[in-house]
Amino acid sequence: AHEGPLTWAVGTDDLDRDAGLLTDAGLAVGPVRSGSRRCPDGSEVTWRSAIVGPPGTTTWPFLIEWPSRGEVRLGVGATVTGLRVTGMTLAVPDPGATARQLVGALGFTRVPGDDLVVTDGEVNVALTDSGTRRPGPAGLSLNGQSRGSFVLDGLTVSIAPERIAL
């Protein structure tokens, strides 16, 4: 019954600590669960995760903790896509409150000049008012070797060439 991506994630190095911080901030956090999958090369990738927020909402990310870093945790090489997430737009019922909570509970910082854009230092999250619509992801920005926009399962995806500051 859903159109487009169902949720989004924030990676953490300490899932138990961050779940506790969110709970202390008054947010509902589900139980920590372990997961795994078998990769095409036969290796196994594992993770731990916890759902944040009321059931059925996509306003809040789920938290995910990977036991390893880089390509190993994905089970694929980074050269498979050559893409990197740089930003997303999320429609929520109260963008100001969500921005404050992301900054206060998850350690995001505000992007200068826009109170409704927060960042974890790598990915910018722009918050818009969902009005009467059900909240959910509205757009995703990627850096890669090509450029353009397309709609993927109801999500607008924009690709821009990687910019390297000299």
Side-chain angles (χ1 to χ4, degrees):
H2 293 283
E3 185 175 318
L6 300 179
T7 191
W8 59 294
V10 169
T12 176
D13 294 328
D14 189 337
L15 179 61
D16 298 311
R17 177 201 63 213
D18 290 341
L21 290 171
L22 291 169
T23 300
D24 291 347
L27 295 164
V29 179
V32 173
R33 300 191 188 275
S34 295
S36 67
R37 68 176 166 83
R38 185 81 42 205
C39 299
D41 67 3
S43 63
E44 184 178 42
V45 176
T46 63
W47 61 86
R48 296 172 65 225
S49 62
I51 302 297
V52 178
T57 182
T58 56
T59 300
W60 281 97
F62 68 91
L63 299 178
I64 189 162
E65 177 185 84
W66 300 94
S68 57
R69 301 265 179 254
E71 297 173 18
V72 173
R73 74 175 171 89
L74 300 175
V76 297
T79 57
V80 169
T81 62
L83 297 176
R84 185 174 62 83
V85 175
T86 57
M88 64 181 286
T89 302
L90 185 65
V92 297
D94 187 343
T98 301
R100 286 188 299 279
Q101 290 172 326
L102 285 170
V103 167
L106 288 178
F108 280 68
T109 58
R110 292 187 188 275
V111 171
D114 194 333
D115 285 345
L116 298 181
V117 180
V118 297
T119 185
D120 67 354
E122 295 182 30
V123 178
N124 289 352
V125 178
L127 301 160
T128 63
D129 191 339
S130 64
T132 58
R133 292 184 305 139
R134 182 183 177 131
L140 184 66
S141 298
L142 305 170
N143 278 351
Q145 297 176 355
S146 60
R147 70 170 56 235
S149 292
F150 59 95
V151 176
L152 175 67
D153 292 334
L155 178 72
T156 302
V157 178
S158 300
I159 303 174
E162 184 74 49
R163 293 188 191 128
I164 300 173
L166 299 176

CSV table of all heavy atoms in Angstrom, one decimal, residues 116-165:
chain,number,residue,atom,x,y,z
A,116,LEU,N,15.9,24.8,8.2
A,116,LEU,CA,15.2,23.5,8.0
A,116,LEU,C,16.1,22.6,7.2
A,116,LEU,O,15.6,21.6,6.6
A,116,LEU,CB,13.9,23.8,7.2
A,116,LEU,CG,12.9,24.6,8.0
A,116,LEU,CD1,11.6,24.8,7.1
A,116,LEU,CD2,12.5,24.0,9.3
A,117,VAL,N,17.4,22.8,7.2
A,117,VAL,CA,18.4,21.9,6.6
A,117,VAL,C,19.4,21.5,7.7
A,117,VAL,O,20.0,22.4,8.2
A,117,VAL,CB,19.1,22.4,5.3
A,117,VAL,CG1,20.1,21.4,4.8
A,117,VAL,CG2,18.1,22.9,4.3
A,118,VAL,N,19.5,20.2,7.9
A,118,VAL,CA,20.5,19.8,8.9
A,118,VAL,C,21.4,18.8,8.3
A,118,VAL,O,21.2,18.3,7.2
A,118,VAL,CB,19.8,19.1,10.1
A,118,VAL,CG1,18.9,20.1,10.9
A,118,VAL,CG2,19.0,17.9,9.7
A,119,THR,N,22.6,18.6,8.9
A,119,THR,CA,23.6,17.7,8.3
A,119,THR,C,24.3,16.9,9.4
A,119,THR,O,24.4,17.3,10.5
A,119,THR,CB,24.6,18.5,7.5
A,119,THR,OG1,25.5,17.6,6.8
A,119,THR,CG2,25.4,19.5,8.4
A,120,ASP,N,24.8,15.7,9.0
A,120,ASP,CA,25.6,14.9,9.8
A,120,ASP,C,27.1,15.1,9.4
A,120,ASP,O,27.9,14.4,9.9
A,120,ASP,CB,25.2,13.5,9.8
A,120,ASP,CG,25.5,12.8,8.4
A,120,ASP,OD1,25.9,13.5,7.5
A,120,ASP,OD2,25.3,11.6,8.3
A,121,GLY,N,27.3,16.1,8.6
A,121,GLY,CA,28.7,16.4,8.1
A,121,GLY,C,28.9,15.8,6.7
A,121,GLY,O,29.9,16.2,6.0
A,122,GLU,N,28.1,14.8,6.3
A,122,GLU,CA,28.3,14.2,5.0
A,122,GLU,C,27.0,14.3,4.1
A,122,GLU,O,27.1,14.5,2.9
A,122,GLU,CB,28.6,12.7,5.1
A,122,GLU,CG,30.0,12.5,5.7
A,122,GLU,CD,30.3,11.0,5.8
A,122,GLU,OE1,29.9,10.3,4.9
A,122,GLU,OE2,31.1,10.7,6.7
A,123,VAL,N,25.8,14.2,4.8
A,123,VAL,CA,24.6,14.2,4.1
A,123,VAL,C,23.7,15.3,4.6
A,123,VAL,O,23.5,15.4,5.8
A,123,VAL,CB,23.8,12.9,4.2
A,123,VAL,CG1,22.5,12.9,3.5
A,123,VAL,CG2,24.7,11.7,3.7
A,124,ASN,N,23.2,16.2,3.7
A,124,ASN,CA,22.2,17.2,4.2
A,124,ASN,C,20.8,16.7,4.1
A,124,ASN,O,20.4,16.1,3.1
A,124,ASN,CB,22.4,18.5,3.2
A,124,ASN,CG,23.6,19.2,3.4
A,124,ASN,OD1,24.4,19.0,4.4
A,124,ASN,ND2,23.9,20.2,2.6
A,125,VAL,N,20.0,17.0,5.1
A,125,VAL,CA,18.6,16.6,5.2
A,125,VAL,C,17.8,17.8,5.2
A,125,VAL,O,17.8,18.6,6.1
A,125,VAL,CB,18.3,15.7,6.4
A,125,VAL,CG1,16.9,15.3,6.5
A,125,VAL,CG2,19.2,14.5,6.5
A,126,ALA,N,17.1,18.1,4.1
A,126,ALA,CA,16.2,19.3,4.0
A,126,ALA,C,14.8,18.8,4.4
A,126,ALA,O,14.3,17.8,3.9
A,126,ALA,CB,16.2,19.8,2.5
A,127,LEU,N,14.2,19.5,5.3
A,127,LEU,CA,12.9,19.2,5.8
A,127,LEU,C,11.8,20.1,5.2
A,127,LEU,O,12.0,21.3,5.3
A,127,LEU,CB,12.9,19.3,7.3
A,127,LEU,CG,13.9,18.3,8.0
A,127,LEU,CD1,14.3,18.8,9.4
A,127,LEU,CD2,13.5,16.9,7.9
A,128,THR,N,10.8,19.6,4.7
A,128,THR,CA,9.7,20.4,4.2
A,128,THR,C,8.4,20.0,4.9
A,128,THR,O,8.3,18.9,5.5
A,128,THR,CB,9.5,20.1,2.6
A,128,THR,OG1,9.2,18.8,2.4
A,128,THR,CG2,10.8,20.5,1.9
A,129,ASP,N,7.4,20.8,4.7
A,129,ASP,CA,6.1,20.6,5.4
A,129,ASP,C,5.3,19.6,4.6
A,129,ASP,O,5.0,19.9,3.4
A,129,ASP,CB,5.4,21.9,5.6
A,129,ASP,CG,4.1,21.8,6.5
A,129,ASP,OD1,3.6,20.7,6.7
A,129,ASP,OD2,3.7,22.8,7.0
A,130,SER,N,4.9,18.5,5.2
A,130,SER,CA,4.0,17.5,4.4
A,130,SER,C,2.6,17.9,4.4
A,130,SER,O,1.8,17.3,3.6
A,130,SER,CB,4.2,16.1,5.1
A,130,SER,OG,3.6,16.2,6.4
A,131,GLY,N,2.2,18.9,5.1
A,131,GLY,CA,0.8,19.4,5.1
A,131,GLY,C,-0.1,18.2,5.6
A,131,GLY,O,0.1,17.6,6.6
A,132,THR,N,-1.1,17.9,4.7
A,132,THR,CA,-2.0,16.8,5.1
A,132,THR,C,-1.5,15.5,4.5
A,132,THR,O,-2.2,14.5,4.7
A,132,THR,CB,-3.4,17.1,4.5
A,132,THR,OG1,-3.3,17.3,3.1
A,132,THR,CG2,-4.0,18.4,5.2
A,133,ARG,N,-0.5,15.5,3.7
A,133,ARG,CA,0.1,14.3,3.1
A,133,ARG,C,0.7,13.4,4.2
A,133,ARG,O,1.2,13.9,5.2
A,133,ARG,CB,1.2,14.5,2.1
A,133,ARG,CG,0.7,15.2,0.8
A,133,ARG,CD,1.8,15.3,-0.2
A,133,ARG,NE,3.0,16.0,0.4
A,133,ARG,CZ,4.2,15.7,0.2
A,133,ARG,NH1,4.5,14.7,-0.5
A,133,ARG,NH2,5.2,16.4,0.8
A,134,ARG,N,0.7,12.1,4.0
A,134,ARG,CA,1.5,11.3,4.9
A,134,ARG,C,3.0,11.6,4.7
A,134,ARG,O,3.5,11.8,3.6
A,134,ARG,CB,1.2,9.8,4.5
A,134,ARG,CG,1.9,8.8,5.3
A,134,ARG,CD,1.6,7.4,4.8
A,134,ARG,NE,2.4,6.5,5.6
A,134,ARG,CZ,1.8,5.4,6.2
A,134,ARG,NH1,0.6,5.1,5.9
A,134,ARG,NH2,2.6,4.6,6.9
A,135,PRO,N,3.7,11.7,5.9
A,135,PRO,CA,5.1,12.0,5.8
A,135,PRO,C,5.9,10.9,5.1
A,135,PRO,O,5.5,9.8,5.1
A,135,PRO,CB,5.6,12.1,7.2
A,135,PRO,CG,4.5,11.6,8.0
A,135,PRO,CD,3.2,11.5,7.2
A,136,GLY,N,7.0,11.3,4.5
A,136,GLY,CA,7.9,10.3,3.8
A,136,GLY,C,9.0,11.0,3.0
A,136,GLY,O,8.9,12.2,2.8
A,137,PRO,N,10.0,10.2,2.6
A,137,PRO,CA,11.1,10.8,1.8
A,137,PRO,C,10.5,11.3,0.5
A,137,PRO,O,9.6,10.8,-0.1
A,137,PRO,CB,12.0,9.6,1.5
A,137,PRO,CG,11.7,8.6,2.6
A,137,PRO,CD,10.2,8.8,2.9
A,138,ALA,N,11.0,12.5,0.1
A,138,ALA,CA,10.6,13.1,-1.1
A,138,ALA,C,11.6,13.2,-2.2
A,138,ALA,O,11.3,13.4,-3.3
A,138,ALA,CB,10.0,14.5,-0.8
A,139,GLY,N,12.9,13.2,-1.8
A,139,GLY,CA,14.0,13.3,-2.8
A,139,GLY,C,15.3,12.9,-2.3
A,139,GLY,O,15.5,12.9,-1.0
A,140,LEU,N,16.2,12.5,-3.2
A,140,LEU,CA,17.5,12.0,-2.8
A,140,LEU,C,18.5,12.6,-3.8
A,140,LEU,O,18.3,12.6,-5.0
A,140,LEU,CB,17.5,10.5,-2.9
A,140,LEU,CG,18.8,9.8,-2.4
A,140,LEU,CD1,19.0,9.9,-0.9
A,140,LEU,CD2,18.6,8.3,-2.7
A,141,SER,N,19.6,13.1,-3.3
A,141,SER,CA,20.7,13.7,-4.1
A,141,SER,C,21.9,12.8,-4.0
A,141,SER,O,22.3,12.4,-2.9
A,141,SER,CB,21.1,15.1,-3.7
A,141,SER,OG,20.0,16.0,-3.8
A,142,LEU,N,22.5,12.5,-5.2
A,142,LEU,CA,23.7,11.6,-5.3
A,142,LEU,C,24.7,12.3,-6.0
A,142,LEU,O,24.4,13.1,-7.0
A,142,LEU,CB,23.3,10.3,-6.0
A,142,LEU,CG,22.2,9.5,-5.4
A,142,LEU,CD1,21.8,8.4,-6.4
A,142,LEU,CD2,22.5,8.9,-4.1
A,143,ASN,N,26.0,12.1,-5.7
A,143,ASN,CA,27.1,12.5,-6.5
A,143,ASN,C,27.7,11.3,-7.2
A,143,ASN,O,27.8,10.2,-6.6
A,143,ASN,CB,28.2,13.2,-5.7
A,143,ASN,CG,27.9,14.6,-5.4
A,143,ASN,OD1,27.0,15.2,-5.9
A,143,ASN,ND2,28.7,15.2,-4.5
A,144,GLY,N,28.0,11.4,-8.5
A,144,GLY,CA,28.5,10.3,-9.2
A,144,GLY,C,29.2,10.8,-10.5
A,144,GLY,O,29.5,12.0,-10.6
A,145,GLN,N,29.3,9.9,-11.5
A,145,GLN,CA,30.0,10.3,-12.7
A,145,GLN,C,29.1,10.8,-13.8
A,145,GLN,O,29.5,11.3,-14.8
A,145,GLN,CB,30.8,9.1,-13.2
A,145,GLN,CG,31.8,8.6,-12.3
A,145,GLN,CD,32.5,7.4,-12.7
A,145,GLN,OE1,32.2,6.8,-13.7
A,145,GLN,NE2,33.6,7.0,-12.0
A,146,SER,N,27.8,10.7,-13.6
A,146,SER,CA,26.8,11.2,-14.6
A,146,SER,C,26.0,12.3,-13.9
A,146,SER,O,26.2,12.6,-12.8
A,146,SER,CB,25.9,10.0,-15.1
A,146,SER,OG,25.2,9.5,-14.0
A,147,ARG,N,25.0,12.8,-14.6
A,147,ARG,CA,24.1,13.8,-14.1
A,147,ARG,C,22.7,13.5,-14.6
A,147,ARG,O,22.5,12.9,-15.6
A,147,ARG,CB,24.6,15.2,-14.4
A,147,ARG,CG,24.4,15.6,-15.8
A,147,ARG,CD,24.7,17.1,-16.1
A,147,ARG,NE,26.0,17.5,-15.6
A,147,ARG,CZ,26.1,18.5,-14.7
A,147,ARG,NH1,25.1,19.2,-14.3
A,147,ARG,NH2,27.3,18.9,-14.4
A,148,GLY,N,21.7,14.1,-13.9
A,148,GLY,CA,20.3,14.0,-14.4
A,148,GLY,C,19.4,13.7,-13.2
A,148,GLY,O,19.8,13.5,-12.1
A,149,SER,N,18.1,13.6,-13.5
A,149,SER,CA,17.1,13.3,-12.5
A,149,SER,C,16.2,12.2,-13.0
A,149,SER,O,16.0,12.1,-14.2
A,149,SER,CB,16.3,14.5,-12.1
A,149,SER,OG,17.0,15.4,-11.5
A,150,PHE,N,15.7,11.4,-12.1
A,150,PHE,CA,14.7,10.3,-12.5
A,150,PHE,C,13.9,10.0,-11.3
A,150,PHE,O,14.2,10.4,-10.2
A,150,PHE,CB,15.4,9.1,-13.1
A,150,PHE,CG,16.4,8.4,-12.1
A,150,PHE,CD1,15.9,7.4,-11.3
A,150,PHE,CD2,17.7,8.8,-12.0
A,150,PHE,CE1,16.8,6.8,-10.4
A,150,PHE,CE2,18.6,8.2,-11.1
A,150,PHE,CZ,18.1,7.2,-10.3
A,151,VAL,N,12.7,9.4,-11.5
A,151,VAL,CA,11.9,9.0,-10.5
A,151,VAL,C,12.0,7.5,-10.3
A,151,VAL,O,11.9,6.7,-11.2
A,151,VAL,CB,10.4,9.3,-10.8
A,151,VAL,CG1,9.5,8.8,-9.7
A,151,VAL,CG2,10.2,10.8,-10.9
A,152,LEU,N,12.3,7.1,-9.0
A,152,LEU,CA,12.5,5.7,-8.7
A,152,LEU,C,11.5,5.3,-7.6
A,152,LEU,O,11.6,5.8,-6.5
A,152,LEU,CB,13.9,5.4,-8.2
A,152,LEU,CG,14.3,4.1,-7.7
A,152,LEU,CD1,14.3,3.0,-8.8
A,152,LEU,CD2,15.7,4.1,-7.0
A,153,ASP,N,10.5,4.5,-8.0
A,153,ASP,CA,9.5,4.1,-7.0
A,153,ASP,C,8.9,5.3,-6.3
A,153,ASP,O,8.7,5.3,-5.0
A,153,ASP,CB,10.0,3.1,-6.0
A,153,ASP,CG,10.3,1.8,-6.6
A,153,ASP,OD1,9.7,1.4,-7.6
A,153,ASP,OD2,11.2,1.1,-6.1
A,154,GLY,N,8.6,6.4,-7.0
A,154,GLY,CA,7.9,7.5,-6.4
A,154,GLY,C,8.9,8.5,-5.7
A,154,GLY,O,8.5,9.5,-5.2
A,155,LEU,N,10.2,8.2,-5.7
A,155,LEU,CA,11.2,9.1,-5.1
A,155,LEU,C,12.0,9.8,-6.2
A,155,LEU,O,12.5,9.1,-7.2
A,155,LEU,CB,12.2,8.2,-4.3
A,155,LEU,CG,13.3,8.9,-3.6
A,155,LEU,CD1,12.8,9.8,-2.5
A,155,LEU,CD2,14.3,7.9,-3.1
A,156,THR,N,12.1,11.1,-6.2
A,156,THR,CA,12.9,11.8,-7.2
A,156,THR,C,14.3,11.8,-6.8
A,156,THR,O,14.7,12.1,-5.7
A,156,THR,CB,12.4,13.3,-7.2
A,156,THR,OG1,11.1,13.4,-7.6
A,156,THR,CG2,13.3,14.1,-8.3
A,157,VAL,N,15.2,11.2,-7.7
A,157,VAL,CA,16.6,11.1,-7.5
A,157,VAL,C,17.3,12.0,-8.4
A,157,VAL,O,17.1,12.0,-9.6
A,157,VAL,CB,17.0,9.6,-7.7
A,157,VAL,CG1,18.5,9.5,-7.5
A,157,VAL,CG2,16.3,8.7,-6.8
A,158,SER,N,18.2,12.9,-7.9
A,158,SER,CA,19.0,13.8,-8.7
A,158,SER,C,20.5,13.4,-8.6
A,158,SER,O,21.0,13.2,-7.4
A,158,SER,CB,18.9,15.2,-8.2
A,158,SER,OG,17.5,15.6,-8.3
A,159,ILE,N,21.2,13.2,-9.7
A,159,ILE,CA,22.6,12.9,-9.7
A,159,ILE,C,23.4,14.1,-10.3
A,159,ILE,O,23.0,14.6,-11.3
A,159,ILE,CB,22.9,11.6,-10.5
A,159,ILE,CG1,22.0,10.5,-10.0
A,159,ILE,CG2,24.3,11.3,-10.5
A,159,ILE,CD1,22.1,9.2,-10.9
A,160,ALA,N,24.4,14.5,-9.5
A,160,ALA,CA,25.3,15.6,-10.0
A,160,ALA,C,26.7,15.1,-10.0
A,160,ALA,O,27.1,14.2,-9.2
A,160,ALA,CB,25.1,16.8,-9.0
A,161,PRO,N,27.6,15.6,-10.9
A,161,PRO,CA,29.0,15.2,-10.8
A,161,PRO,C,29.6,15.5,-9.5
A,161,PRO,O,29.3,16.5,-8.8
A,161,PRO,CB,29.6,16.1,-11.9
A,161,PRO,CG,28.5,16.6,-12.7
A,161,PRO,CD,27.3,16.6,-11.8
A,162,GLU,N,30.5,14.6,-9.1
A,162,GLU,CA,31.2,14.8,-7.8
A,162,GLU,C,32.0,16.1,-7.9
A,162,GLU,O,32.7,16.4,-8.9
A,162,GLU,CB,32.2,13.6,-7.6
A,162,GLU,CG,32.9,13.7,-6.3
A,162,GLU,CD,32.0,13.3,-5.1
A,162,GLU,OE1,31.3,12.3,-5.1
A,162,GLU,OE2,32.0,14.1,-4.1
A,163,ARG,N,31.9,16.9,-6.8
A,163,ARG,CA,32.7,18.1,-6.7
A,163,ARG,C,33.8,18.0,-5.7
A,163,ARG,O,33.5,17.6,-4.6
A,163,ARG,CB,31.8,19.3,-6.3
A,163,ARG,CG,30.7,19.6,-7.4
A,163,ARG,CD,30.0,20.9,-7.0
A,163,ARG,NE,28.9,20.9,-7.9
A,163,ARG,CZ,27.6,21.1,-7.5
A,163,ARG,NH1,27.3,21.2,-6.3
A,163,ARG,NH2,26.6,21.2,-8.4
A,164,ILE,N,35.0,18.3,-6.1
A,164,ILE,CA,36.1,18.1,-5.2
A,164,ILE,C,36.7,19.5,-5.0
A,164,ILE,O,37.0,20.2,-5.9
A,164,ILE,CB,37.2,17.2,-5.8
A,164,ILE,CG1,36.6,15.8,-6.1
A,164,ILE,CG2,38.4,17.1,-4.9
A,164,ILE,CD1,37.5,14.9,-6.8
A,165,ALA,N,36.8,19.9,-3.7
A,165,ALA,CA,37.3,21.2,-3.4
A,165,ALA,C,38.8,21.1,-3.4
A,165,ALA,O,39.4,20.2,-2.9
A,165,ALA,CB,36.8,21.6,-2.0
